[in-house]
Amino acid sequence: METKISNKKALIALAVGGFGIGLTEFVIMGILPDVAKGLNITIPEAGHFIAAYALGVVVGAPLLTRFSSKMDSRMILLLLMGWFTLFNTLSGFATNYSTLLVTRFLSGLPHGAFFGIGAVVAGKLAKEGKAARAIAVMFTGLTIANVIGVPIGTYIGHHYDWSISFFMVGIVGVLAVLSVFLWMPQLESEKPKPYSKENKGLKNGELWAMILLTTIGTGGFFAWYSYIAPLITDIAGWGEYMVGYAMILAGLGMVFGNFIGAKMAEIFSPIKAVAISLSIMVVLLLINSVLAFNPYIVLGMTFFVGMAAFTVSTPIQMAIINTSKGNEMLGSSMNQSAFNMGNASGAYLAGLPMTFGFSVVYAGVVGAFLAGMGVLMAVGIIVYRRHKAGYSFRKMAFNN
């Protein structure tokens, strides 16, 4: 009983870290004009801070995970959250473009490694057959950040000072460090692997197919989410005040979707759950594009698209972990890099129709296309696995 309670506390510690990461990743989008005004730069220049953070995630996930591969998981998580806390707090003290650009990049470095290692740790803490739910608990922190933390941080940053929003992230980081220190048990350390064995694991073609699937498939969600503000105001006709409420609706959808995805991963195989989730996302994004002019339907669809998007997170993370046997932490962390590459590529590709004069509703069409490509890739992986299993069975029967 005591172990069960201890493990629940450990999962809560991971969720607190996820809350802080979700807060710093998304609050910058809400306070971007305030940051630009405070630093006397243009809004497009301020957008570089979003890209800098994403680049930090992409670089840091495999680098920090591999660098810390010989350390105890609890110590790694403490160091990652300590790093996260330090540079997010320093971001609040930035007085010019260059300083904030550097601190945002450094703030992003531990993001992927924390989620990647945390997902593996959560699976180890869970009872047999309940790994998906444990991973979902960690991601709950990120989803709740979109419901509570980001709106509060945006309000404070807009009405008082943008730097306070980063100080908020720093405070959450301190709480995460304390939670991990007090509640995370000392897990059995894995035997260090020689780099040659790690490199062999990274030559797994199926692992790279999974990472590409994450990049393209989840890019469909970010293609839509990146342009939610003009969709709400310019197409649906709501005032700017409604954007914040729409983001809360999306965040609530993410919370529900996170746990639905965990249940789907238990009912189906993780990769099948991914295929189903992305298929639903394709349909919802197309419906949203057609009916976006209706102010009430667009708000309802905001909730459901957010929900569908986050039914993918836990299954794809589990699929990556299952595929990268022997290099679970590295593979899991690299998947977080893929999420952020999907963030950047989805936003870029969805913006292309607008540069040619098309309406912002086409961002959803681009998102549906990307999610559809993800479905095809997931189905391809399923077919490949069945073919591989059939070949192995026939070979064994022949040898016997």
Side-chain angles (χ1 to χ4, degrees):
M1 182 68 179
E2 187 177 341
T3 302
K4 185 177 179 181
I5 295 173
S6 175
N7 287 353
K8 283 185 177 180
K9 285 184 176 180
L11 292 175
I12 291 172
L14 293 174
V16 174
F19 183 93
I21 287 173
L23 179 57
T24 195
E25 183 174 22
F26 293 107
V27 77
I28 184 69
M29 299 173 185
I31 61 173
L32 206 61
D34 305 289
V35 175
K37 185 179 179 181
L39 298 181
N40 196 28
I41 58 176
T42 66
I43 289 181
E45 286 176 323
H48 296 166
F49 302 137
I50 299 175
Y53 183 89
L55 180 61
V57 179
V58 173
V59 173
L63 187 66
L64 292 182
T65 303
R66 190 159 188 171
F67 179 75
S68 57
S69 60
K70 297 178 182 179
M71 297 172 62
D72 170 69
S73 298
R74 179 174 176 271
M75 180 58 67
I76 297 169
L77 292 172
L78 280 171
L79 291 174
L80 290 172
M81 285 314 302
W83 181 298
F84 172 86
T85 302
L86 172 63
F87 287 105
N88 272 285
T89 303
L90 290 177
S91 294
F93 288 106
T95 57
N96 56 64
Y97 169 86
S98 299
T99 303
L100 187 55
L101 193 70
V102 171
T103 55
R104 284 296 290 170
F105 172 78
L106 294 173
S107 297
L109 288 176
H111 172 135
F114 181 86
F115 271 135
I117 294 170
V120 176
V121 169
K124 290 180 178 179
L125 293 171
K127 292 191 295 184
E128 188 173 348
K130 302 295 181 183
R133 295 187 188 184
I135 294 171
V137 169
M138 180 185 69
F139 280 115
T140 298
L142 187 147
T143 58
I144 292 178
N146 281 278
V147 180
I148 301 173
V150 172
I152 292 174
T154 300
Y155 179 87
I156 291 175
H158 181 65
H159 289 88
Y160 296 96
D161 192 281
W162 63 266
S163 61
I164 300 176
S165 301
F166 288 111
F167 294 144
M168 280 179 56
V169 178
I171 291 170
V172 174
V174 170
L175 293 176
V177 170
L178 290 174
S179 299
V180 172
F181 180 77
L182 295 173
W183 294 340
M184 184 64 64
Q186 196 81 29
L187 298 172
E188 184 179 346
S189 300
E190 296 182 359
K191 293 181 180 180
K193 303 179 185 69
Y195 283 127
S196 58
K197 193 170 182 179
E198 288 187 359
N199 289 332
K200 184 179 180 181
L202 293 177
K203 292 178 182 178
N204 183 346
E206 193 175 324
L207 172 61
W208 288 105
M210 286 280 192
I211 290 172
L212 187 60
L213 164 59
T214 300
T215 303
I216 295 175
T218 61
F221 165 71
F222 289 111
W224 166 79
Y225 195 61
S226 299
Y227 299 97
I228 189 172
L231 189 71
I232 296 294
T233 56
D234 299 348
I235 305 300
W238 288 105
E240 290 186 4
Y241 71 93
M242 187 55 72
V243 175
Y245 293 110
M247 294 184 78
I248 292 175
L249 279 173
L252 286 170
M254 293 174 195
V255 173
F256 283 99
N258 184 37
F259 286 102
I260 292 172
K263 190 66 178 177
M264 289 172 63
E266 291 176 355
I267 297 173
F268 310 101
S269 68
I271 189 63
K272 286 182 181 177
V274 171
I276 294 169
S277 297
L278 290 176
S279 298
I280 294 171
M281 197 191 308
V282 171
V283 175
L284 291 177
L285 286 172
L286 289 175
I287 292 173
N288 188 60
S289 298
V290 173
L291 302 178
F293 63 88
N294 187 301
Y296 299 102
I297 290 179
V298 79
L299 290 179
M301 294 305 296
T302 297
F303 171 85
F304 286 112
V305 173
M307 183 172 69
F310 267 70
T311 58
V312 179
S313 57
T314 297
I316 192 64
Q317 199 72 28
M318 285 194 68
I320 285 283
I321 291 172
N322 293 340
T323 304
S324 54
K325 289 297 182 184
N327 292 279
E328 290 91 345
M329 288 188 177
L330 185 57
S332 183
S333 298
M334 288 173 65
N335 198 45
Q336 292 301 312
S337 295
F339 272 116
N340 277 269
M341 288 189 287
N343 186 346
S345 60
Y348 173 76
L349 292 172
L352 291 179
M354 284 174 266
T355 63
F356 292 100
F358 289 93
S359 167
V360 70
V361 296
Y362 283 90
V365 176
V366 172
F369 174 78
L370 292 172
M373 290 291 291
V375 173
L376 293 177
M377 294 185 68
V379 171
I381 291 170
I382 293 170
V383 171
Y384 169 76
R385 286 181 174 177
R386 287 180 178 175
H387 174 75
K388 186 178 178 182
Y391 175 77
S392 298
F393 177 79
R394 290 191 300 271
K395 185 177 179 182
M396 183 175 65
F398 178 79
N399 289 336
N400 288 337

